Amino acid sequence: GVEPRRAAVCSYGYGGTIAHVLLEEAPVTSFSNTPVPSIFPLSARSRSRLAVQAGTLAGSLRADPPPAGQVAATLWTRRSREAVRAAVIADDHPDLLVGLDALGGDTRDVGVVTGAVLPGAAAGAVWVFSGHGSHWAGMGRELLSGEPAFAAVVDAVEPVFAAELGFSVRAALAAGELGDTDRIQALTFVMQVGLAAVLRGRGVTPAAVIGHSVGEVAACVTAGVFDLAHGAAVACYRARGFRSVLGQGAMALVRLPFGDVSRRLCGRTDVMAAISSSPESTVISGAVDTVEQVCRAWSDDGVLVRRVATDVAFHSPAMDALTGELAHNVAGLGPSRAAAIPLYTTALPDPRSSAPRDADYWVANLRGRVRFAEAVAAAAEDGHRLFLEVSAHPVVSHSIVETLGADDHAVIPVLRRDQSETRCVTTAVAGLWCHGAPVDHGVTA
């Protein structure tokens, strides 16, 4: 075979220090066999110029095709960045040409992502860790086998889950046996922190972080408030309490503002406004029969109502019996740290609060109202227009869109139910780049 290229670099310092470094080129890998699709970025000052550029590149590749990996590397490192962008996601040369032809002809293709640079996106996206409802049998299975960063997170939390909840995260994800709400809530945390590790490995970092209900635990780990082991313990303590209330609660999303829902319920405690999802939508929570009665009555009045897939009345008086043990357990974990990344809270009236994420905080997170719309609005007021939902399936992206209104913005999901997880992550990274977020080493993404 052909010998790899090597070079010697010598450096002679004033103090007599001599450094001699031998460099060897990286091993050649087959582009078609790589398990991660590559991203081929293009940009221009207008859509018409972008189409012309794509057509020109396609013609050049057909005439004299270099290795596709070299094409990706050149596009990432040797081209200027303009405001109108597109990215082709391809496993091989034929897929790349299909995507370029779609761009050149201004037609849609599943392997093409487009977007325009958003104001403030140079700092990155706001990572949003959503709450209950994103789970699906099979989630995490492909990531376990193909993403070492994800597998490392799973292995790191295994001892905590075994001790506190009595099951193996790896076995549950591999088998697709998620269990009841208690396990699902804890596995939601694992998926979120695991995806965060994968995203960082792809050269993406957050500009700010928001957590929704159980998503606040992963948000705190990502923002540096506490480490992974601390976060895993909080997630397990929080989830363990649900075992005593399984099957007793229900929740529903109603198309009414939070204030209107509160007034309609007139201070009732058997059902209450629990989550301000957006300025237009609210989630109610309470006993099964009561929530069902309210849903029927409001539907008859013309209110759009959609049941939430849960058997626990989160963020309602049903949680009162669980808060004492949760507070006791969390208090034993030690103090939290100040956030290293801007962190918007959904558990406190002030979304920018830097209050310690201590026992009292997690009681408020479990029992109190989720102020999701307020947190998203605060992020928008602070100049953020790009949001990334870090979850196994998008469940709050629509609420973010409703909250942001008509302003220029983009909301990108990381995964979608029953779709290739590796390809979904790659598509999300491409979407972030298309909207102006930095991607440190897109060649390997």
Side-chain angles (χ1 to χ4, degrees):
V2 179
E3 284 289 316
R5 290 177 293 179
R6 298 183 179 91
V9 180
C10 295
S11 175
Y12 299 89
Y14 271 110
T17 302
I18 300 174
H20 192 81
V21 180
L22 294 177
L23 304 176
E24 182 178 291
E25 68 175 326
V28 177
T29 57
S30 171
F31 178 76
S32 61
N33 292 331
T34 181
V36 178
S38 287
I39 300 172
F40 298 83
L42 298 96
S43 66
R45 296 182 181 180
S46 67
R47 289 182 62 88
S48 60
R49 289 187 180 185
L50 190 65
V52 170
Q53 184 185 136
T56 301
L57 179 57
S60 175
L61 294 178
R62 285 190 171 93
D64 184 20
Q70 291 183 12
V71 176
T74 300
L75 292 174
W76 277 107
T77 61
R78 303 292 291 275
R79 293 291 183 269
S80 59
R81 301 284 179 254
E82 303 295 347
V84 179
R85 298 184 177 185
V88 178
I89 300 163
D91 294 300
D92 50 31
H93 228 288
D95 281 351
L96 173 57
L97 288 173
V98 168
L100 291 173
D101 288 342
L103 270 175
D106 199 21
T107 59
R108 295 178 63 86
D109 184 83
V110 293
V112 176
V113 180
T114 60
V117 174
L118 293 168
V126 177
W127 290 12
V128 180
F129 297 90
S130 47
H132 192 78
S134 64
H135 56 283
W136 48 279
M139 69 177 188
R141 186 182 294 153
E142 184 181 336
L143 295 172
L144 265 178
S145 62
E147 294 284 355
F150 184 88
V153 167
V154 169
D155 291 341
V157 303
E158 280 280 22
V160 180
F161 273 64
E164 302 299 340
L165 295 179
F167 78 97
S168 164
V169 174
R170 179 176 282 274
L173 293 179
E177 297 174 354
L178 307 185
D180 292 327
T181 299
D182 57 326
R183 285 175 48 154
I184 289 170
Q185 282 264 308
L187 289 171
T188 296
F189 163 80
V190 176
M191 287 297 300
Q192 291 174 341
V193 290
L195 284 170
V198 172
L199 289 166
R200 289 184 184 276
R202 301 287 187 95
V204 178
T205 55
V209 180
I210 297 174
H212 179 298
S213 191
V214 64
E216 283 212 279
V217 188
C220 285
V221 172
T222 302
V225 171
F226 41 63
D227 61 21
L228 179 59
H230 188 135
V234 173
C236 288
Y237 296 154
R238 197 177 179 280
R240 195 167 60 196
F242 299 139
R243 293 173 178 172
S244 63
V245 294
L246 293 175
Q248 300 175 23
M251 302 179 79
L253 179 72
V254 297
R255 188 75 171 177
L256 288 171
F258 190 91
D260 289 358
V261 172
S262 296
R263 284 188 291 273
R264 278 175 173 251
L265 294 176
C266 301
R268 293 171 59 171
T269 57
D270 53 351
V271 59
M272 63 185 302
I275 302 172
S276 53
S277 297
S278 77
E280 305 169 18
S281 299
T282 303
V283 174
I284 60 173
S285 181
V288 177
D289 292 343
T290 307
V291 170
E292 187 60 33
Q293 291 169 6
V294 170
C295 287
R296 284 198 302 267
W298 289 8
S299 293
D300 291 343
D301 289 343
V303 177
L304 184 63
V305 176
R306 180 169 60 84
R307 273 66 168 183
V308 175
T310 181
D311 61 351
V312 172
F314 303 113
H315 311 291
S316 79
M319 300 294 99
D320 287 339
L322 314 181
T323 57
E325 183 178 1
L326 175 63
H328 173 75
N329 288 331
V330 171
L333 294 174
S336 62
R337 299 186 292 264
I341 297 170
L343 175 63
Y344 296 93
T345 174
T346 57
L348 302 176
D350 177 9
R352 299 178 183 85
S353 173
S354 59
R357 269 47 174 180
D358 55 11
D360 290 340
Y361 186 87
W362 294 109
V363 167
N365 164 271
L366 178 66
R367 169 62 178 87
R369 163 185 171 186
V370 178
R371 297 170 170 86
F372 184 65
E374 293 85 339
V376 172
E381 289 169 5
D382 293 342
H384 296 288
R385 293 292 180 272
L386 182 58
F387 293 77
L388 181 74
E389 181 172 346
V390 185
S391 65
H393 184 76
V395 292
V396 298
S397 290
H398 64 286
S399 296
I400 299 172
V401 171
E402 288 180 2
T403 302
L404 296 176
D407 292 341
D408 288 339
H409 62 267
V411 183
I412 298 171
V414 175
L415 298 186
R416 290 188 182 276
R417 184 176 290 114
D418 297 324
Q419 295 187 17
S420 166
E421 294 176 317
T422 298
R423 193 171 186 87
C424 280
V425 172
T426 306
T427 301
V429 173
L432 290 171
W433 180 83
C434 284
H435 288 293
V439 177
D440 286 346
H441 44 85
V443 175
T444 60

